[in-house]
Amino acid sequence: TTRCGVVLGRRPATSARLDEMARAIFGHLEPSSVRTGRKLLKKKMKGPLLADYYFDVSGGQKLVDDTSREVVKGWMSPEEERRKIKLMSLRRRGKGPPKKGAGKRSGKKKK
């Protein structure tokens, strides 16, 4: 039936054929209650973004550090130097880590 040139309803056979053609053309799945994971697969992948954001800290620098220690005794990387300096300043203020066996839990032992 039409009213003013607009189709008001489709016959069931025509509707089924159109749906079948749309699935073939656009790759739509047949609606069902089975979980397919399609929604998850359609999402944009996050892996490449995360890989680009975090720089690579693989073993290259560690190899350089180990070789430098062998050549120059007492050599420290800039990160180690920074950590040592910070630790010394904390210890001077009494904020450093406790000596082994003198921590917070040592006084809580059962007698």
Side-chain angles (χ1 to χ4, degrees):
T1 59
T2 61
R3 182 182 285 170
C4 301
V6 177
V7 177
L8 296 177
R10 292 189 293 178
R11 292 186 302 222
T14 309
S15 177
R17 270 199 345 221
L18 279 174
D19 290 342
E20 189 178 320
M21 289 171 59
R23 279 195 290 277
I25 295 170
F26 301 115
H28 295 164
L29 292 176
E30 208 169 321
S32 67
S33 62
V34 177
R35 298 179 81 169
T36 61
R38 183 170 175 80
K39 189 175 183 180
L40 182 70
L41 292 173
K42 283 172 63 175
K43 282 186 182 178
K44 189 176 179 182
M45 294 287 192
K46 292 181 185 176
L49 288 173
L50 292 174
D52 290 343
Y53 183 79
Y54 294 106
F55 56 91
D56 186 25
V57 289
S58 58
Q61 185 62 38
K62 185 177 181 340
L63 181 65
V64 171
D65 290 349
D66 291 344
T67 309
S68 302
R69 277 193 191 83
E70 291 172 7
V71 174
V72 180
K73 299 298 178 197
W75 182 87
M76 288 190 289
S77 68
E79 291 84 15
E80 286 177 298
E81 285 182 42
R82 204 174 304 120
R83 185 183 63 80
K84 281 242 187 216
I85 291 169
K86 183 177 179 182
L87 194 57
M88 285 172 28
S89 68
L90 284 172
R91 281 192 176 134
R92 276 195 303 257
R93 292 186 294 162
K95 304 275 186 182
K99 289 199 171 29
K100 188 172 179 180
K104 185 177 178 182
R105 295 184 59 175
S106 66
K108 297 182 179 182
K109 291 183 180 177
K110 293 183 179 179
K111 293 179 183 173

